[in-house]
Amino acid sequence: MNKQIGYFIPEFPGQTHTWIWREYQAMLELGMKPHMISTRRPPTKVVHTWAQKAQSMTDYLIPFETKDFVKVPIELIKAGPIAWWRCLSVMANTKNLSFSQRLYYLVLIVMGAKLACLARTQGCLTSTFIPVAMLLILPYLPPYFRRSLIV
């Protein structure tokens, strides 16, 4: 059994993330190796005693680090033309997207590649990783984009 698990949390650590930290501690006690990944650092200073430690051990999707400018394009190449076609066709077939919204979704594709790269390097990437990540992200996407992904 793979004891490594990727734990994906938006803007971690935040004021309401104490339960995530407790869950992280419980996973450690069970002998698991959770790897914390977050979309970005929280916009305000977090006052929890564990917050600084949590930030130091969390990988963030943004901002990009220098190494990401090499690793992410490689991950996009590894995804292959079928994956590129799927992503771009969803964007092309989604109605009423402005140019800036299309650029935003291109950025999300790049962030997805960084997430896949982090999962792969930490040994957390499995066949169930991407579908589970999509289910977690779907509620945060605009309704017109969700419909095009579900079809």
Side-chain angles (χ1 to χ4, degrees):
M1 178 174 110
N2 185 1
K3 291 188 173 195
Q4 298 204 58
I5 183 171
Y7 209 117
F8 184 57
I9 314 122
E11 293 185 12
F12 181 75
Q15 293 299 337
T16 61
H17 290 160
T18 301
W19 67 273
I20 294 172
W21 187 249
R22 288 184 187 142
E23 200 167 87
Y24 170 81
Q25 298 295 322
M27 285 188 277
L28 288 176
E29 289 174 15
L30 291 171
M32 298 180 77
K33 298 175 185 172
H35 182 75
M36 308 301 261
I37 302 170
S38 183
T39 51
R40 61 182 169 195
R41 294 181 190 279
T44 58
K45 188 174 189 298
V46 182
V47 294
H48 296 300
T49 56
W50 49 266
Q52 189 172 9
K53 180 179 180 184
Q55 280 187 351
S56 69
M57 57 190 276
T58 302
D59 282 314
Y60 293 94
L61 296 183
I62 52 176
F64 266 35
E65 298 174 6
T66 306
K67 64 182 179 183
D68 296 330
F69 290 98
V70 173
K71 289 183 173 188
V72 170
I74 290 171
E75 196 64 39
L76 285 168
I77 291 168
K78 284 181 184 177
I82 293 172
W84 307 334
W85 176 255
R86 285 182 184 157
C87 290
L88 296 176
S89 66
V90 166
M91 286 176 43
N93 294 324
T94 303
K95 306 290 185 235
N96 302 322
L97 279 182
S98 68
F99 179 74
S100 62
Q101 288 170 318
R102 291 184 194 281
L103 286 178
Y104 175 75
Y105 290 124
L106 282 174
V107 170
L108 288 179
I109 292 169
V110 172
M111 287 175 60
K114 182 174 178 180
L115 178 60
C117 183
L118 288 168
R120 185 182 316 282
T121 58
Q122 296 300 320
C124 304
L125 190 59
T126 67
S127 59
T128 58
F129 178 80
I130 298 303
V132 169
M134 286 303 297
L135 288 173
L136 293 173
I137 293 169
L138 269 176
Y140 300 101
L141 295 176
Y144 51 83
F145 197 70
R146 274 187 292 212
R147 281 191 299 275
S148 60
L149 284 174
I150 292 170
V151 172

